[in-house]
Each structure stands twice: as structure tokens, then as C-alpha cells.
Amino acid sequence: MTDPASGIAVIGMSCRFPGVSGPGEFWRLLLDGRSTVGTFPEQRAAGAPSPAHPDTGTLRAGSFFDAIDGFDAEFFGLDGAEAAAMDPVQRLGLELAWEAVEDARVPAGALAGREIDVVVGSAPSGYDLLRRSAGSDRDDHHAALGSAGALIANRISSLFDVRGMSYCADSGQSSSLVALALSCDRIRSGAVDTALAGGVELIADPESGLGLANMGALSPDGRCFSFDARAGGFVRGEGGAFVLLKRLDLAVADGDHIYAVVRGWNVGSAGATARMPDPSPGAQAATVLSALARADVPFDSVDYVEAHGTGTRLGDPAEASGLREVFRATGRSRPLTIGSVKTNVGHLEPAAGIAGFVKAALCVDRGLLVPSLNFASPNPAIADFHRDFEVPVAARPWPGPPGRPRRAGVSAFGMGGTNAHVVLEQAPRTPTARAADTEPGPRAFEVLPWALSARSEAALREQALRLRDLVAADASLTTADVGHSLLTTRTTFEHRAVLLGGDRDEALAGLDRLAAGSGTERTVRGSAQGPPGPIVFVFPGQGSQWLGMGRRLYAESAEFAHGIDACARALEPWVDWSLVDVVTAAEPAAALDRVDVIQPALFAMMVSLARVWRSCGVVPDAVVGHSQGEIAAACVAGALSLQDAARLVALRSRELTELAGTGGMSAVSASPAWVGEQLRQWPGRLSTAAVNGPASVVVSGDDEALELFAARAAEDDVRVRRVKVDYASHSHHVERIRERLLTAASDLAPRPPEVEFWSTVTGGPLGTRPLDGAYWYDNLRSTVRFGEVVERLMRAGTGVFVEVSPHPVLEVAMAETADALAVSLTVVGSLHKEDGSRADLLASLAELHVRGAPVDFTGLFAPHRPRRVALPSYAFQRRRYWLSPPGEPGHAPDAGGATGPGTALPDSEPAALGLVCAEASAAWGAKGPRPTAGDLAALPDSTFKDLGFESSTAVRLRNRLTAATGVRLPATVAFSHPTPRRLARHLLSLLAPPAAERPAEPEGTSQEDRRDDELYALIERGYV
């Protein structure tokens, strides 16, 4: 078997021929014994030779694409003018190179900056001559680059940002196999460890073959009769192939899928041994013998040779004669099986060698020989043909004896005498990553993410369709295999979707919906248009707690469970109850209505959730805490140890019990300025406890004064609601326990934070102020300046806010601040009180991922020991680029070629209502059964509140509508347009303003009326 130190592994392959889009379809074509040969398509016939020309029929026969003008310029970052100037062989080379890397299950970004060679065999297609004759190259500064065949390799090197040799080989018909041999030389020499080699051929104008026809090289019968008595010439073909090569020992160590191993190779010249263009049997034999010597394998162990096999009168007998010289030199005693891919796809000239190489590699990999077409009786010029040769006419098992690695040779001979031969061997056996009978299946509650992406919405939909077809056809693919492979073998683009499925059926249904341009409640879509900006972890105060808030996640996430257990050990000296019992609602557990239980439990939840976020790659650039949430923020930032933070939150909450029954707090929906002006009437009795946003304030103080304040607010139609606490944090009441608080915090050992700590006590970064006892007293006594801090962060460019809590209570306030500043950002929660599972957290992670934030899902798959499996290649969205760029004469778009939005935008009120109801159903997060879109459409004038929506649900609806339409909507859109019908009308007015004015809203509708009660319920339980 191959020495891993010297062998070269083929780890990725791509190919394209008429009607064949990749290696899978190519293999089916070969196995079925089919041909792509036909006639030059009528739609491409402009400029073809006149029917009166005697060789017209010969030139029009071949293997031709229906069109060669399509290209996804957007994917490759090219504008229309440059794409139109590029020879189509450059475009095809780019696409095939990308697909070869994808097939190797390597994300393109993993190649960037590395010493990797790109070597390509090619020739001009004739496109530049057509452009010049049409005058399309006049004043076109792209023309020089677009017509240079040598730039194919350079464009590919630029595409992947690889820094090795970038070289275009032209040795005529042997060019691409010479390119592969040069790549192998470079790898074996140690210059590089990876190379991309290939070849492409296109024929813009069939008249370019007149010279070949005049030589008698083209088949008058329109078929290749390789080694057959009818051989009279070849037919031309279009297409190409690429392979990704890697040093064998590295490929084995990295667990790469290896199609075959290149054992030996050689390139030689005929010199003066024959008159050009006649082939030289002796030179061909010398090349094969040298390749065998470099491979260090006997010729008798080679079972099959993919011959050059052009089917020409001189070529086939010369090739057979050369192989017989190898027989004599090596003492081979058994017949050799030979065949030629040219009988299937025609002669691709510069790309012929790589086409034969891919065929041979597939045969070696699968252990089958495929038929060589059009063979009935041997060429009479090859005496005693059957003594030494056999041409397979039907598929059959590989002929070698058991236990010996399958070996094949591949030949390509140039008309000018440059010959190349490569020896392939079966890949070494490697242990399977996972035995089928020990495959771990997902646990019943497990949800795994499938992350898809593309350059455009249309491509994303097609990617979903391709993946759906692949998974549906192969039952061996597990959800873990597919999800892991999507993450680790594919490049992530800006248009993204994450499917959160628990089993194959759910995943397939999600792919169906995504392919149709819609989604489900477990589908998160978005667009990452650039770096999202710094990430801020936000830790709220009291109010996000709910019974059993950690039960499901404690069972599902080892990272979260470890965090809770660590917090329990840190709290144990200071509390007389079980933290685990409280967060999981186990019986018996301490009551969650006690402040000395609520606050330590919330602290533990927040610290443990932050740990889970970090484990998924979401690392904060800054932290912000709201009142008691600052303790968790300080711990996560490294400013307090877990032990110090646990002691502080336990003792702080215990001291608060001394204030019970002496005051209260009220949530006010008004601006801080209005609230401040009113509080002048109750000096020393009421204080601004917290400013959470531009219209969200909390007032704290004496009970009687709070009642008077509420009555005064009602006169101005300002909504005020009492918070369900019986003490008055952030007011003069706290002064009664000042000394006790200072004593409780006296032994802290604060440290400089490792993450930037934004203080809601000072309203800015912590600076040099220590988080000592004095700070923590101020934290409870002074106004919480949360809104001010969030505004400053947003103005500074922060783009992502993650609320780290069991239920989002600050999400709406932050979104309203963003609306007031007219800035774009992403705000997500962690868990929600109606769920609390790992799937709940995954949905938030998915929201960040689709908007460009760094998220690492890979750790979720590790317990399943997933495989890297083959996935569909990228769904290029091609448009027509021919002779002139889009918008200029000579250009016309392909039917259905241009890309558009992911979903057809509604153009009528019923369509807009349907979209709103569909997305509202998918965004459902409240308790109770999920309504269908039809259920909601049947109640178009019911308020979202009456339908069961909560504020976090409304924000999710806003996010989904924005993703579906591209229209920016405020966080409160479902409150200001509180019914499905009114929201649909509003959305329609933004998409396509109607000619007539919209009906006026009913009288008496005020800003306060349009706000759902849930907005106030968010802070009803207190921000302390």
C-alpha cells in the first residue's frame, strides 16, 4: 500500500460537462454507458460556418453546453462589465475550482494565506475574437485581463487568497494532466503540501475547429470510436474538471475523504522521434515507464489504463504500440484493460487529461470498471489486439485480485509531443469515524442547528432545495452529520438561515419551507451585511424570574449545569436553601417570592447562562448590569470572584428584607424629564429609581406619595403601574440599611475587570473606581442609569446586545432606545418563560449568527461523533454576460437568471395580512397552543394582546417581518399597530404606498392605548 510520506491524496474533485453538473452525475453517466455528444446548439449557432462549407456537419458535431454565457458575477465579487469581458473559460474555471474545494469538505477560508499552488491547463475559447469582431472591446479596460488565458490560475488564487505558484499550463491536448503532474512535483518536493489542479475547455465559435477538420482529426461520424475499427477522428467537447491534491500523510491525519492516491507521474517530450503532429510510440512508452518507476509499482499490478484514446487513425495504433513497448520492458504477461472517456464526453483538448483522471479516480474509488463506448471490433492497425488489450463494453467489478490495491494509469498526449502519464492507487483504508451499530442518536429533547448561507436570497433557497433532496435520498445521513458538515465544510456568506430541528422529518419540512421562500417557528433568517459591532452582555435586575426557570436547561446543557453547581457551592455558606432545587422547581424548594431567594437564584442563572454563551463562541466586549444585575456583570467580567459575588448577592438580598412593608415602586411610561418635573412635588419622599429608556422610568419611595404621583400622572394620560415589591430600592429608604450593607461588602477583593464594565451607577465605563463596599451601597441607593449607558454604547457603535436572563425584561427598552437613535442593532434574549430549553437558547444564538455575530455551534455536535459528509455544491445564480455588460447592447438576462428577494413582497392588503399572520404564527412564544396563520387571519381585528402575544413575542414578530420584507420596523410596531389587519396595512404602506390616504385611526387612540400591557408587566416585578 502507498507510503503516506510520498503519496499524494485526491481529496476533492469537480467536473462539468453538458448535462453533467458534478462527479455524482458524471459517475452515473459513465456507469450507464451514456454519451453527451450531440450537435452545436441552435441558440449558439450565430457565427457558425455557412451550411455550404464541406466540414459544417463535422464541426457542428460534439459535446456542447446549451449555453456558456451564464455566470454568477455577484458570487465572485465582479461587476457586470468585468464579467462580460472575461473569457467564459475563466468563469468556468472559477466555478469548478470552488466546487472542488467544497467537495474536499474544506471551507474556503481555511485556505487563505497558505502556500497552495493553482495550476490549470486551458486554451482560449475564441470569445475574445467574437468580442473584437463585435466591437465590444473598444475602450474596455477589462478586455486585456478578460482575454488572457493565463489569468485563469491567477483569478483562482485570488479567489481563495492562496500564495503558492499560480500557473497556466499549455502543452496542447496534454495540458491539464501536465498541470496535475507539475502540482504533484511541487508537493513531493516539499514546496507546498496542497495544490489545486485542473483544466477547462469551451468553444465560443465552432469554426475554430476548421484547422482540425482540414487535418482530418475530426470524426465525420460525429462520435469517438476509440480503438475501434471505425476510428476516423475525434469529436470536440466542452467542460472541465479540477482536483484538490494534498500530501497523503496530512490527508490521513486530517480525516479527509480520499478518492485515490497519486503514486507516480511523469511528463516527457517526443523530441524529434516523430514528425509533428504524429504521435511517437517510443516517447509515450518512455513517459509511462518513468511514471511507473517513480510510483515504484510493477506494470503488472496496474489493472486499467485510461488511455488518451482519441479514435484517430494514427493516434490509437501509436498508443497501443507504446503500451506494448511497456509490456516488453516490464515483462507484463496479462492483458491490460483500456478505455477512453472521450467516447462519453468528446475530446476536451486541454482539459482532456483531467477528465480522464477524474473518471479513473472514480473507478478506483468505487471498485468498478465502466464501459468505453462505441467499441465493436478492434482497430485492424493494432495487430493481435485481444492478446494484450481489452476494452470494457459493460460495467463490471474491478479485475484485480483480492488484497491488492486497485491501480490505474491515465495518459494524455499533446499534439506537439508533450506526453503525461499518472499512476493512481486505491486510497488506504482508514478506521471509520463511527461504527453504524454504535451511532448515537439525538436524545428526545435534542435540537441541533443546520446553518445554511449564500450570497443571495435566491441562492439560499436553492441551497435549501439541494440539501433537502440530498438528505431525503440518503437515510444514512444523520441530523448531526449534516449539521456538523454545514458548519465545518462550508463557507459562511451574508444571506443566512438556521433550521432548528429535532429529527429528520422536521429538518426536511424546514428545508421545504425555506426553499419555498417561507419558514417555520424553528427557522431563523437574516442577513449579515458586515461586522455587527461589539457585543454587550446585559444583566437585568429582579423581574425575569419564573418557576422552574432552569429546569430544562439544567437537564439539557452540561455547561449550564456545571455553572449552576458552581454557584450552588459558592452560595452554600450564605443561604439555607438549595439553589438547584429553586432553579429546577424541585420539591421541596424555597419559595421564589422571597427577595433573599429571588436575587441569588437570578444571579446564578445569569452567571451560568453567560457561561453557556461563551461556550458557543459569543464573548462579550462589554458588560452592563441593571441594579442587582451588576453583581452578575462584575462576576462575568472578572471584577469579582464567584465566591465574592455569591456572598455579596446573598447578603445584599438578605438586608433588603429589612425594608419590607415600608415603601414601593411604580413603573411609569413617560420621559425622564417629565418624571423629574413631577417629582418636585414630593421632595424627600419619591426618587427616580431607574431610567431604562426614552419612555421607561421607575419611581421609588413612600406608598402614599406613590399613590399621589399616580393620580397626577393620570391627569396627563400617563400610564403608571405599581411594581410587585413591598420595598423601595434606589430611594431614601435604603439609607436605613447603609451600615449593614457596607459591612456585608467589607471583605470583598475586587479586581480590575477583564471585560469592559459599564456602570449604571456612574453612567459610563467603570474606570479606576473599585467595586468595593461603597460602590455596592451606591448601586442600591442611587438611580439606575441603564438607559443612559445603553444610549452611550449605541452611539459608540455597539451592534449586539445579549440579555443574559431567564426571560427578557430589558429587550424592548433597548430596542426603543435604538429606534429613538435611528441605529441598527441586534437585541436578543437568552431564555423565555414559556420555554427555557436549550432550543430556546439556540434560537437566540441563531438570531446572532444570521446577523453576523460570531457564534460557534460546533460543540453541540461533539457528543454525536459526527462525520464530515458530502454536501451539495454551491447554487450559483447565473446571469447572461456576453460580449457586453448588463445594460449595454448585446446583453440580455437569462430567463429567471436575476436574483430577487427571498419572498414575493405583498402587493395587496390580503397578501400583507397573510404574511403578517404567517410570521406571527411562526413567532409565537406565549403559553398555550400555537395558532395557525389561518387562525390569526380569522381574527384580523383582535389585538395581539387579546391573541396572547407578549412583548418578547412582538419583538420576534418585528424581526421576522423585517427579515421577510427588508423593511425597517420599530420594536413597538405590534403595539402601535395592535391588530393583524392594522399591522398589515402599515406594512403595505411602507412597501408600496397606496394612492389614496389610509383610513384614519379610530378616535381616542393614544400612544398609551397602543402600548400593550405586557410592556408594563415587564417591569412590574421590579428592576431591583
Side-chain angles (χ1 to χ4, degrees), residues 607-663:
V607 169
S608 301
L609 284 169
R611 179 170 174 163
V612 177
W613 280 104
R614 284 180 178 271
S615 73
C616 293
V618 183
V619 179
D621 297 292
V623 296
V624 177
H626 189 295
S627 191
Q628 72 119 9
E630 281 204 310
I631 304 175
C635 182
V636 171
L640 288 180
S641 68
L642 179 60
Q643 289 69 28
D644 274 357
R647 180 165 67 92
L648 177 62
V649 73
L651 297 180
R652 177 188 189 270
S653 60
R654 185 187 303 170
E655 299 305 331
L656 279 173
T657 62
E658 296 297 317
L659 301 182
T662 63

Side-chain angles (χ1 to χ4, degrees), residues 299-318:
F299 187 43
D300 199 55
S301 71
V302 176
D303 304 302
Y304 172 76
V305 166
E306 173 62 25
H308 190 59
T310 56
T312 54
R313 285 181 294 273
L314 287 176
D316 289 356

